[in-house]
């Protein structure tokens, strides 16, 4: 077990205690708020194809709605006798702990994926990313979480490949490498100086909203090409690590 696995398990333990304290019903506020805001975010994405705005709707909407509901509950609790105000049935605490781990753990996993899309020279992340990549936690996130969200999977894989051009050298003899660079969408993106500048400056906001990136994310053939290249890079990294 690497350091990141220990840290992640410790964070999940804290989430369980938070859920135990609040109980099941109060822990439902966050996921329910997110579910509602996610619906509006998906509708916005279908209408406008603007991933950044859709993410903002989902994230900010969840925060605002959750805060409003929690504030309302906090105010209404003052009408309850102090003797019963903080009482929560143990079964509700147990379910609340489990839900808190699932809900907040998923959010934390999303932040981990975001860290892995950043260039490794940004904020001196090279050692941190290497530790994360070698962890069982990251392996489980990629296996069980990412595939459940196609938009997340496609965006994460695409940004990961384009943000780490130094990885291309380890697969330049593979058919996946040739397919990637022969793809018309990829050629168009790599020949764009504005996108190249955004990649160098780690400007994820501009990359996500760029029309050429958006066009690639909608093309299943291009996404398949990127996915295959990403898998080949990952496979060779594992081989390289095991030989050390």
């Amino acid at each position: 077990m690497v350091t990141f696995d220990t840290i992640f398990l410790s964070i999940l333990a804290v989430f369980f205690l938070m859920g135990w304290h609040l109980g099941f019903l109060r822990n439902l506020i966050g996921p329910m708020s997110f579910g509602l805001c996610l619906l509006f975010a998906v509708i916005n994405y279908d209408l406008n194809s603007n991933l950044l705005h859709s993410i903002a709707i989902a994230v900010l909407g969840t925060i605002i709605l959750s805060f409003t509901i929690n504030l309302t509950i906090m105010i209404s609790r003052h009408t309850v006798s102090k003797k019963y105000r903080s009482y929560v049935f143990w079964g509700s605490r147990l379910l609340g702990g489990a839900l808190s781990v699932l809900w907040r753990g998923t959010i934390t996993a999303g932040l981990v994926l975001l860290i892995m899309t950043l260039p490794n020279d940004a904020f001196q992340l090279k050692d941190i990313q290497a530790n994360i990549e070698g962890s069982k936690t990251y392996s489980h996130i990629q296996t069980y979480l990412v595939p459940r969200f196609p938009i997340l999977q496609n965006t994460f894989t695409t940004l990961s490949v384009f943000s780490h051009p130094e990885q291309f050298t380890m697969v330049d003899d593979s058919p996946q490498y040739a397919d990637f660079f022969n793809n018309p969408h990829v050629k168009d993106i790599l020949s764009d100086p504005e996108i190249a500048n955004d990649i160098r400056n780690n400007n994820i906001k501009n990359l996500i909203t760029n029309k050429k990136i958006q066009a690639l994310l909608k093309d299943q053939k291009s996404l398949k090409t990127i996915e295959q290249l990403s898998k080949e890079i990952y496979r060779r990294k594992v081989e390289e690590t095991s030989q050390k």
Side-chain angles (χ1 to χ4, degrees):
M1 182 180 292
V2 300
T3 303
F4 180 73
D5 286 325
T6 303
I7 293 173
F8 193 81
L9 287 174
S10 300
I11 292 173
L12 293 184
V14 172
F15 289 160
F16 181 83
L17 292 176
M18 292 171 62
W20 177 273
H21 173 72
L22 294 174
F24 181 68
L25 291 178
R26 289 183 65 187
N27 272 285
L28 271 178
I29 295 173
M32 290 181 65
S33 299
F34 175 73
L36 182 60
C37 294
L38 181 63
L39 176 62
F40 286 105
V42 170
I43 293 173
N44 177 76
Y45 183 77
D46 288 339
L47 293 175
N48 304 311
S49 297
N50 192 317
L51 184 60
L52 189 64
H53 286 174
S54 298
I55 291 174
I57 290 172
V59 174
L60 295 179
T62 300
I63 293 173
I64 294 171
L65 187 57
S66 297
F67 176 78
T68 303
I69 295 174
N70 277 303
L71 182 62
T72 303
I73 292 175
M74 188 182 300
I75 294 172
S76 63
R77 286 180 68 194
H78 287 286
T79 62
V80 180
S81 172
K82 288 185 178 181
K83 182 179 178 181
Y84 302 104
R85 189 176 297 171
S86 299
Y87 174 76
V88 180
F89 175 58
W90 71 267
S92 176
R93 291 187 185 276
L94 187 61
L95 289 173
L99 180 60
S100 178
V101 168
L102 179 62
W103 166 240
R104 294 182 172 88
T106 300
I107 294 175
T108 305
L111 293 176
V112 171
L113 291 175
L114 178 61
I115 290 173
M116 294 302 290
T117 64
L118 299 175
N120 52 31
D121 59 347
F123 310 109
Q124 303 299 316
L125 288 175
K126 185 175 182 179
D127 292 338
I128 295 175
Q129 289 177 334
N131 195 277
I132 292 175
E133 192 168 29
S135 68
K136 291 183 179 180
T137 299
Y138 185 63
S139 177
H140 290 326
I141 289 173
Q142 286 195 312
T143 303
Y144 300 109
L145 177 63
V146 174
R148 296 180 182 275
F149 302 93
I151 294 176
L152 174 62
Q153 182 179 27
N154 295 338
T155 304
F156 167 70
T157 303
T158 301
L159 288 178
S160 179
V161 169
F162 280 105
S163 297
H164 299 273
E166 72 281 355
Q167 301 176 123
F168 295 149
T169 56
M170 69 171 64
V171 293
D172 57 6
D173 60 340
S174 68
Q176 292 88 347
Y177 177 90
D179 290 342
F180 176 78
F181 282 97
N182 287 329
N183 183 280
H185 283 294
V186 172
K187 285 183 177 180
D188 194 23
I189 288 171
L190 293 178
S191 63
D192 190 319
E194 183 180 341
I195 293 179
N197 185 59
D198 287 333
I199 291 174
R200 283 194 300 272
N201 295 325
N202 186 34
N203 197 329
I204 293 178
K205 172 181 174 293
N206 284 357
L207 289 173
I208 291 177
T209 56
N210 188 283
K211 291 182 179 180
K212 292 182 180 179
I213 298 290
Q214 287 287 326
L216 184 146
L217 289 172
K218 291 180 180 180
D219 184 68
Q220 293 302 315
K221 184 177 179 180
S222 297
L223 290 174
K224 188 67 176 179
T225 300
I226 292 174
E227 181 184 357
Q228 290 173 343
L229 178 67
S230 178
K231 286 181 178 179
E232 181 64 14
I233 291 172
Y234 181 75
R235 185 184 70 79
R236 296 202 182 189
K237 277 185 176 180
V238 171
E239 287 183 354
E240 185 180 289
T241 304
S242 63
Q243 290 172 0
K244 290 182 179 179

mmCIF file of all heavy atoms in Angstrom, residues 164-202:
data_model
loop_
_atom_site.group_PDB
_atom_site.id
_atom_site.type_symbol
_atom_site.label_atom_id
_atom_site.label_comp_id
_atom_site.label_asym_id
_atom_site.label_seq_id
_atom_site.Cartn_x
_atom_site.Cartn_y
_atom_site.Cartn_z
ATOM 1 N N HIS A 164 0.051 15.637 -21.539
ATOM 2 C CA HIS A 164 1.322 14.974 -21.248
ATOM 3 C C HIS A 164 1.980 14.502 -22.548
ATOM 4 O O HIS A 164 2.140 13.295 -22.764
ATOM 5 C CB HIS A 164 1.099 13.789 -20.305
ATOM 6 C CG HIS A 164 0.511 14.171 -18.983
ATOM 7 N ND1 HIS A 164 1.276 14.564 -17.901
ATOM 8 C CD2 HIS A 164 -0.779 14.235 -18.555
ATOM 9 C CE1 HIS A 164 0.492 14.847 -16.882
ATOM 10 N NE2 HIS A 164 -0.753 14.650 -17.255
ATOM 11 N N PRO A 165 2.348 15.430 -23.426
ATOM 12 C CA PRO A 165 2.944 15.042 -24.717
ATOM 13 C C PRO A 165 4.251 14.276 -24.570
ATOM 14 O O PRO A 165 4.661 13.569 -25.501
ATOM 15 C CB PRO A 165 3.160 16.387 -25.418
ATOM 16 C CG PRO A 165 3.211 17.394 -24.317
ATOM 17 C CD PRO A 165 2.261 16.896 -23.280
ATOM 18 N N GLU A 166 4.928 14.410 -23.405
ATOM 19 C CA GLU A 166 6.187 13.691 -23.207
ATOM 20 C C GLU A 166 5.985 12.171 -23.187
ATOM 21 O O GLU A 166 6.924 11.394 -23.371
ATOM 22 C CB GLU A 166 6.854 14.148 -21.899
ATOM 23 C CG GLU A 166 6.199 13.681 -20.606
ATOM 24 C CD GLU A 166 4.967 14.481 -20.213
ATOM 25 O OE1 GLU A 166 4.658 15.471 -20.901
ATOM 26 O OE2 GLU A 166 4.321 14.119 -19.221
ATOM 27 N N GLN A 167 4.730 11.743 -22.978
ATOM 28 C CA GLN A 167 4.436 10.315 -22.941
ATOM 29 C C GLN A 167 4.496 9.667 -24.324
ATOM 30 O O GLN A 167 4.645 8.455 -24.435
ATOM 31 C CB GLN A 167 3.027 10.068 -22.359
ATOM 32 C CG GLN A 167 2.841 10.594 -20.958
ATOM 33 C CD GLN A 167 1.420 10.408 -20.470
ATOM 34 O OE1 GLN A 167 1.171 9.798 -19.453
ATOM 35 N NE2 GLN A 167 0.460 10.930 -21.212
ATOM 36 N N PHE A 168 4.372 10.479 -25.376
ATOM 37 C CA PHE A 168 4.307 9.929 -26.730
ATOM 38 C C PHE A 168 5.565 9.154 -27.115
ATOM 39 O O PHE A 168 5.511 8.217 -27.911
ATOM 40 C CB PHE A 168 4.071 11.051 -27.750
ATOM 41 C CG PHE A 168 2.737 11.734 -27.594
ATOM 42 C CD1 PHE A 168 2.588 13.075 -27.923
ATOM 43 C CD2 PHE A 168 1.633 11.045 -27.114
ATOM 44 C CE1 PHE A 168 1.361 13.709 -27.791
ATOM 45 C CE2 PHE A 168 0.404 11.675 -26.981
ATOM 46 C CZ PHE A 168 0.263 13.010 -27.317
ATOM 47 N N THR A 169 6.702 9.564 -26.542
ATOM 48 C CA THR A 169 7.965 8.933 -26.936
ATOM 49 C C THR A 169 8.024 7.453 -26.564
ATOM 50 O O THR A 169 8.711 6.676 -27.231
ATOM 51 C CB THR A 169 9.155 9.659 -26.281
ATOM 52 O OG1 THR A 169 8.975 9.669 -24.860
ATOM 53 C CG2 THR A 169 9.251 11.096 -26.790
ATOM 54 N N MET A 170 7.306 7.067 -25.508
ATOM 55 C CA MET A 170 7.380 5.667 -25.075
ATOM 56 C C MET A 170 6.496 4.745 -25.922
ATOM 57 O O MET A 170 6.580 3.527 -25.816
ATOM 58 C CB MET A 170 6.999 5.542 -23.591
ATOM 59 C CG MET A 170 5.545 5.806 -23.261
ATOM 60 S SD MET A 170 5.140 5.377 -21.533
ATOM 61 C CE MET A 170 6.170 6.550 -20.659
ATOM 62 N N VAL A 171 5.642 5.331 -26.786
ATOM 63 C CA VAL A 171 4.757 4.497 -27.613
ATOM 64 C C VAL A 171 4.873 4.844 -29.096
ATOM 65 O O VAL A 171 4.006 4.490 -29.892
ATOM 66 C CB VAL A 171 3.276 4.652 -27.174
ATOM 67 C CG1 VAL A 171 3.048 4.070 -25.795
ATOM 68 C CG2 VAL A 171 2.834 6.118 -27.230
ATOM 69 N N ASP A 172 5.952 5.536 -29.475
ATOM 70 C CA ASP A 172 6.053 6.002 -30.864
ATOM 71 C C ASP A 172 6.263 4.872 -31.883
ATOM 72 O O ASP A 172 6.244 5.106 -33.093
ATOM 73 C CB ASP A 172 7.165 7.050 -31.008
ATOM 74 C CG ASP A 172 8.522 6.522 -30.554
ATOM 75 O OD1 ASP A 172 8.624 5.328 -30.232
ATOM 76 O OD2 ASP A 172 9.475 7.327 -30.501
ATOM 77 N N ASP A 173 6.448 3.644 -31.381
ATOM 78 C CA ASP A 173 6.584 2.506 -32.286
ATOM 79 C C ASP A 173 5.314 1.658 -32.360
ATOM 80 O O ASP A 173 5.304 0.591 -32.972
ATOM 81 C CB ASP A 173 7.742 1.611 -31.824
ATOM 82 C CG ASP A 173 7.523 1.063 -30.405
ATOM 83 O OD1 ASP A 173 6.699 1.656 -29.666
ATOM 84 O OD2 ASP A 173 8.160 0.065 -30.052
ATOM 85 N N SER A 174 4.250 2.157 -31.753
ATOM 86 C CA SER A 174 3.007 1.381 -31.671
ATOM 87 C C SER A 174 2.003 1.807 -32.746
ATOM 88 O O SER A 174 2.019 2.953 -33.207
ATOM 89 C CB SER A 174 2.364 1.555 -30.292
ATOM 90 O OG SER A 174 1.895 2.886 -30.133
ATOM 91 N N PRO A 175 1.099 0.901 -33.140
ATOM 92 C CA PRO A 175 0.041 1.268 -34.103
ATOM 93 C C PRO A 175 -0.922 2.298 -33.520
ATOM 94 O O PRO A 175 -1.499 3.098 -34.248
ATOM 95 C CB PRO A 175 -0.661 -0.065 -34.385
ATOM 96 C CG PRO A 175 -0.301 -0.951 -33.236
ATOM 97 C CD PRO A 175 1.070 -0.536 -32.809
ATOM 98 N N GLN A 176 -1.077 2.281 -32.191
ATOM 99 C CA GLN A 176 -1.961 3.264 -31.536
ATOM 100 C C GLN A 176 -1.423 4.684 -31.723
ATOM 101 O O GLN A 176 -2.193 5.634 -31.904
ATOM 102 C CB GLN A 176 -2.084 2.953 -30.026
ATOM 103 C CG GLN A 176 -2.825 1.683 -29.711
ATOM 104 C CD GLN A 176 -1.916 0.465 -29.681
ATOM 105 O OE1 GLN A 176 -0.777 0.516 -30.112
ATOM 106 N NE2 GLN A 176 -2.429 -0.632 -29.150
ATOM 107 N N TYR A 177 -0.102 4.812 -31.681
ATOM 108 C CA TYR A 177 0.552 6.114 -31.890
ATOM 109 C C TYR A 177 0.274 6.628 -33.307
ATOM 110 O O TYR A 177 -0.081 7.795 -33.500
ATOM 111 C CB TYR A 177 2.056 5.953 -31.654
ATOM 112 C CG TYR A 177 2.893 7.181 -31.908
ATOM 113 C CD1 TYR A 177 3.144 8.091 -30.894
ATOM 114 C CD2 TYR A 177 3.456 7.422 -33.165
ATOM 115 C CE1 TYR A 177 3.940 9.216 -31.113
ATOM 116 C CE2 TYR A 177 4.242 8.532 -33.394
ATOM 117 C CZ TYR A 177 4.486 9.429 -32.367
ATOM 118 O OH TYR A 177 5.262 10.545 -32.601
ATOM 119 N N ALA A 178 0.411 5.730 -34.285
ATOM 120 C CA ALA A 178 0.177 6.112 -35.683
ATOM 121 C C ALA A 178 -1.283 6.499 -35.912
ATOM 122 O O ALA A 178 -1.578 7.505 -36.578
ATOM 123 C CB ALA A 178 0.568 4.950 -36.603
ATOM 124 N N ASP A 179 -2.203 5.722 -35.349
ATOM 125 C CA ASP A 179 -3.633 6.017 -35.490
ATOM 126 C C ASP A 179 -3.973 7.371 -34.880
ATOM 127 O O ASP A 179 -4.780 8.136 -35.441
ATOM 128 C CB ASP A 179 -4.470 4.927 -34.816
ATOM 129 C CG ASP A 179 -4.409 3.600 -35.565
ATOM 130 O OD1 ASP A 179 -4.014 3.610 -36.739
ATOM 131 O OD2 ASP A 179 -4.749 2.569 -34.957
ATOM 132 N N PHE A 180 -3.364 7.656 -33.740
ATOM 133 C CA PHE A 180 -3.624 8.916 -33.033
ATOM 134 C C PHE A 180 -3.213 10.114 -33.883
ATOM 135 O O PHE A 180 -3.984 11.044 -34.093
ATOM 136 C CB PHE A 180 -2.877 8.916 -31.694
ATOM 137 C CG PHE A 180 -2.992 10.189 -30.925
ATOM 138 C CD1 PHE A 180 -4.145 10.488 -30.211
ATOM 139 C CD2 PHE A 180 -1.945 11.102 -30.889
ATOM 140 C CE1 PHE A 180 -4.254 11.669 -29.484
ATOM 141 C CE2 PHE A 180 -2.035 12.287 -30.170
ATOM 142 C CZ PHE A 180 -3.201 12.565 -29.468
ATOM 143 N N PHE A 181 -1.980 10.083 -34.403
ATOM 144 C CA PHE A 181 -1.470 11.230 -35.150
ATOM 145 C C PHE A 181 -2.021 11.324 -36.574
ATOM 146 O O PHE A 181 -1.878 12.363 -37.222
ATOM 147 C CB PHE A 181 0.062 11.213 -35.164
ATOM 148 C CG PHE A 181 0.669 11.705 -33.881
ATOM 149 C CD1 PHE A 181 1.074 10.810 -32.905
ATOM 150 C CD2 PHE A 181 0.796 13.060 -33.636
ATOM 151 C CE1 PHE A 181 1.613 11.264 -31.713
ATOM 152 C CE2 PHE A 181 1.337 13.530 -32.447
ATOM 153 C CZ PHE A 181 1.752 12.623 -31.479
ATOM 154 N N ASN A 182 -2.650 10.259 -37.040
ATOM 155 C CA ASN A 182 -3.291 10.302 -38.355
ATOM 156 C C ASN A 182 -4.752 10.727 -38.280
ATOM 157 O O ASN A 182 -5.388 10.955 -39.310
ATOM 158 C CB ASN A 182 -3.203 8.925 -39.030
ATOM 159 C CG ASN A 182 -1.799 8.621 -39.520
ATOM 160 O OD1 ASN A 182 -1.055 9.529 -39.893
ATOM 161 N ND2 ASN A 182 -1.424 7.347 -39.506
ATOM 162 N N ASN A 183 -5.267 10.839 -37.065
ATOM 163 C CA ASN A 183 -6.655 11.244 -36.888
ATOM 164 C C ASN A 183 -6.820 12.722 -37.281
ATOM 165 O O ASN A 183 -6.068 13.577 -36.805
ATOM 166 C CB ASN A 183 -7.079 11.029 -35.434
ATOM 167 C CG ASN A 183 -8.535 11.367 -35.203
ATOM 168 O OD1 ASN A 183 -8.902 12.527 -35.063
ATOM 169 N ND2 ASN A 183 -9.375 10.349 -35.150
ATOM 170 N N PRO A 184 -7.785 13.054 -38.129
ATOM 171 C CA PRO A 184 -7.934 14.455 -38.587
ATOM 172 C C PRO A 184 -8.215 15.440 -37.461
ATOM 173 O O PRO A 184 -7.719 16.579 -37.502
ATOM 174 C CB PRO A 184 -9.115 14.373 -39.572
ATOM 175 C CG PRO A 184 -9.812 13.084 -39.260
ATOM 176 C CD PRO A 184 -8.744 12.160 -38.781
ATOM 177 N N HIS A 185 -9.013 15.028 -36.468
ATOM 178 C CA HIS A 185 -9.287 15.926 -35.338
ATOM 179 C C HIS A 185 -8.008 16.204 -34.552
ATOM 180 O O HIS A 185 -7.750 17.346 -34.139
ATOM 181 C CB HIS A 185 -10.340 15.306 -34.401
ATOM 182 C CG HIS A 185 -11.736 15.406 -34.917
ATOM 183 N ND1 HIS A 185 -12.402 16.611 -35.076
ATOM 184 C CD2 HIS A 185 -12.612 14.451 -35.301
ATOM 185 C CE1 HIS A 185 -13.615 16.387 -35.533
ATOM 186 N NE2 HIS A 185 -13.772 15.086 -35.678
ATOM 187 N N VAL A 186 -7.218 15.170 -34.347
ATOM 188 C CA VAL A 186 -5.967 15.317 -33.604
ATOM 189 C C VAL A 186 -4.999 16.209 -34.373
ATOM 190 O O VAL A 186 -4.342 17.085 -33.798
ATOM 191 C CB VAL A 186 -5.330 13.936 -33.334
ATOM 192 C CG1 VAL A 186 -3.927 14.107 -32.736
ATOM 193 C CG2 VAL A 186 -6.212 13.108 -32.411
ATOM 194 N N LYS A 187 -4.904 16.009 -35.679
ATOM 195 C CA LYS A 187 -4.035 16.853 -36.517
ATOM 196 C C LYS A 187 -4.440 18.319 -36.408
ATOM 197 O O LYS A 187 -3.592 19.210 -36.298
ATOM 198 C CB LYS A 187 -4.119 16.400 -37.979
ATOM 199 C CG LYS A 187 -3.382 15.110 -38.296
ATOM 200 C CD LYS A 187 -3.487 14.804 -39.795
ATOM 201 C CE LYS A 187 -2.701 13.567 -40.167
ATOM 202 N NZ LYS A 187 -2.800 13.253 -41.615
ATOM 203 N N ASP A 188 -5.739 18.554 -36.447
ATOM 204 C CA ASP A 188 -6.255 19.920 -36.371
ATOM 205 C C ASP A 188 -5.918 20.551 -35.030
ATOM 206 O O ASP A 188 -5.535 21.724 -34.947
ATOM 207 C CB ASP A 188 -7.774 19.891 -36.577
ATOM 208 C CG ASP A 188 -8.346 21.275 -36.856
ATOM 209 O OD1 ASP A 188 -7.576 22.152 -37.310
ATOM 210 O OD2 ASP A 188 -9.550 21.480 -36.617
ATOM 211 N N ILE A 189 -6.027 19.768 -33.969
ATOM 212 C CA ILE A 189 -5.746 20.268 -32.622
ATOM 213 C C ILE A 189 -4.259 20.537 -32.435
ATOM 214 O O ILE A 189 -3.857 21.595 -31.930
ATOM 215 C CB ILE A 189 -6.250 19.257 -31.565
ATOM 216 C CG1 ILE A 189 -7.787 19.274 -31.521
ATOM 217 C CG2 ILE A 189 -5.678 19.577 -30.182
ATOM 218 C CD1 ILE A 189 -8.389 18.174 -30.679
ATOM 219 N N LEU A 190 -3.422 19.593 -32.837
ATOM 220 C CA LEU A 190 -1.980 19.720 -32.627
ATOM 221 C C LEU A 190 -1.353 20.819 -33.479
ATOM 222 O O LEU A 190 -0.279 21.327 -33.159
ATOM 223 C CB LEU A 190 -1.290 18.387 -32.918
ATOM 224 C CG LEU A 190 -1.624 17.244 -31.955
ATOM 225 C CD1 LEU A 190 -0.915 15.963 -32.376
ATOM 226 C CD2 LEU A 190 -1.244 17.608 -30.523
ATOM 227 N N SER A 191 -2.024 21.200 -34.558
ATOM 228 C CA SER A 191 -1.488 22.264 -35.422
ATOM 229 C C SER A 191 -1.979 23.648 -34.997
ATOM 230 O O SER A 191 -1.608 24.655 -35.607
ATOM 231 C CB SER A 191 -1.898 22.009 -36.879
ATOM 232 O OG SER A 191 -3.317 22.059 -37.025
ATOM 233 N N ASP A 192 -2.806 23.686 -33.953
ATOM 234 C CA ASP A 192 -3.365 24.952 -33.487
ATOM 235 C C ASP A 192 -2.446 25.562 -32.424
ATOM 236 O O ASP A 192 -2.311 25.010 -31.331
ATOM 237 C CB ASP A 192 -4.756 24.705 -32.892
ATOM 238 C CG ASP A 192 -5.505 25.999 -32.608
ATOM 239 O OD1 ASP A 192 -4.871 26.946 -32.116
ATOM 240 O OD2 ASP A 192 -6.723 26.046 -32.859
ATOM 241 N N PRO A 193 -1.804 26.701 -32.702
ATOM 242 C CA PRO A 193 -0.871 27.310 -31.732
ATOM 243 C C PRO A 193 -1.560 27.764 -30.446
ATOM 244 O O PRO A 193 -0.951 27.764 -29.375
ATOM 245 C CB PRO A 193 -0.296 28.508 -32.496
ATOM 246 C CG PRO A 193 -1.294 28.790 -33.585
ATOM 247 C CD PRO A 193 -1.882 27.473 -33.957
ATOM 248 N N GLU A 194 -2.829 28.132 -30.548
ATOM 249 C CA GLU A 194 -3.568 28.566 -29.358
ATOM 250 C C GLU A 194 -3.748 27.401 -28.382
ATOM 251 O O GLU A 194 -3.568 27.558 -27.178
ATOM 252 C CB GLU A 194 -4.938 29.116 -29.768
ATOM 253 C CG GLU A 194 -5.739 29.659 -28.587
ATOM 254 C CD GLU A 194 -7.092 30.205 -29.019
ATOM 255 O OE1 GLU A 194 -7.252 30.496 -30.222
ATOM 256 O OE2 GLU A 194 -7.970 30.331 -28.150
ATOM 257 N N ILE A 195 -4.105 26.226 -28.935
ATOM 258 C CA ILE A 195 -4.269 25.047 -28.083
ATOM 259 C C ILE A 195 -2.925 24.632 -27.501
ATOM 260 O O ILE A 195 -2.832 24.257 -26.324
ATOM 261 C CB ILE A 195 -4.887 23.883 -28.884
ATOM 262 C CG1 ILE A 195 -6.329 24.232 -29.279
ATOM 263 C CG2 ILE A 195 -4.866 22.596 -28.067
ATOM 264 C CD1 ILE A 195 -7.025 23.165 -30.100
ATOM 265 N N ALA A 196 -1.877 24.680 -28.310
ATOM 266 C CA ALA A 196 -0.535 24.337 -27.833
ATOM 267 C C ALA A 196 -0.128 25.231 -26.666
ATOM 268 O O ALA A 196 0.464 24.773 -25.676
ATOM 269 C CB ALA A 196 0.477 24.458 -28.971
ATOM 270 N N ASN A 197 -0.465 26.507 -26.772
ATOM 271 C CA ASN A 197 -0.154 27.459 -25.701
ATOM 272 C C ASN A 197 -0.962 27.145 -24.434
ATOM 273 O O ASN A 197 -0.438 27.218 -23.316
ATOM 274 C CB ASN A 197 -0.457 28.884 -26.173
ATOM 275 C CG ASN A 197 -0.053 29.930 -25.147
ATOM 276 O OD1 ASN A 197 1.119 30.026 -24.768
ATOM 277 N ND2 ASN A 197 -1.016 30.720 -24.692
ATOM 278 N N ASP A 198 -2.231 26.771 -24.617
ATOM 279 C CA ASP A 198 -3.077 26.420 -23.465
ATOM 280 C C ASP A 198 -2.567 25.159 -22.769
ATOM 281 O O ASP A 198 -2.640 25.040 -21.539
ATOM 282 C CB ASP A 198 -4.528 26.211 -23.907
ATOM 283 C CG ASP A 198 -5.229 27.512 -24.264
ATOM 284 O OD1 ASP A 198 -4.829 28.552 -23.713
ATOM 285 O OD2 ASP A 198 -6.159 27.489 -25.097
ATOM 286 N N ILE A 199 -2.052 24.211 -23.555
ATOM 287 C CA ILE A 199 -1.492 22.988 -22.976
ATOM 288 C C ILE A 199 -0.243 23.318 -22.161
ATOM 289 O O ILE A 199 -0.072 22.822 -21.037
ATOM 290 C CB ILE A 199 -1.154 21.961 -24.082
ATOM 291 C CG1 ILE A 199 -2.450 21.420 -24.711
ATOM 292 C CG2 ILE A 199 -0.334 20.805 -23.509
ATOM 293 C CD1 ILE A 199 -2.211 20.519 -25.905
ATOM 294 N N ARG A 200 0.626 24.176 -22.713
ATOM 295 C CA ARG A 200 1.853 24.564 -22.000
ATOM 296 C C ARG A 200 1.536 25.299 -20.711
ATOM 297 O O ARG A 200 2.206 25.106 -19.693
ATOM 298 C CB ARG A 200 2.730 25.445 -22.893
ATOM 299 C CG ARG A 200 3.503 24.704 -23.967
ATOM 300 C CD ARG A 200 4.590 25.589 -24.554
ATOM 301 N NE ARG A 200 4.028 26.795 -25.161
ATOM 302 C CZ ARG A 200 3.621 26.879 -26.415
ATOM 303 N NH1 ARG A 200 3.722 25.829 -27.207
ATOM 304 N NH2 ARG A 200 3.136 27.998 -26.899
ATOM 305 N N ASN A 201 0.499 26.145 -20.737
ATOM 306 C CA ASN A 201 0.142 26.959 -19.577
ATOM 307 C C ASN A 201 -0.873 26.296 -18.652
ATOM 308 O O ASN A 201 -1.378 26.921 -17.711
ATOM 309 C CB ASN A 201 -0.414 28.316 -20.032
ATOM 310 C CG ASN A 201 0.631 29.148 -20.745
ATOM 311 O OD1 ASN A 201 1.810 29.106 -20.391
ATOM 312 N ND2 ASN A 201 0.214 29.884 -21.753
ATOM 313 N N ASN A 202 -1.208 25.024 -18.964
ATOM 314 C CA ASN A 202 -2.139 24.279 -18.125
ATOM 315 C C ASN A 202 -3.491 24.988 -18.000
ATOM 316 O O ASN A 202 -4.096 25.024 -16.941
ATOM 317 C CB ASN A 202 -1.513 24.076 -16.733
ATOM 318 C CG ASN A 202 -2.359 23.186 -15.847
ATOM 319 O OD1 ASN A 202 -2.993 22.265 -16.337
ATOM 320 N ND2 ASN A 202 -2.384 23.471 -14.564
#
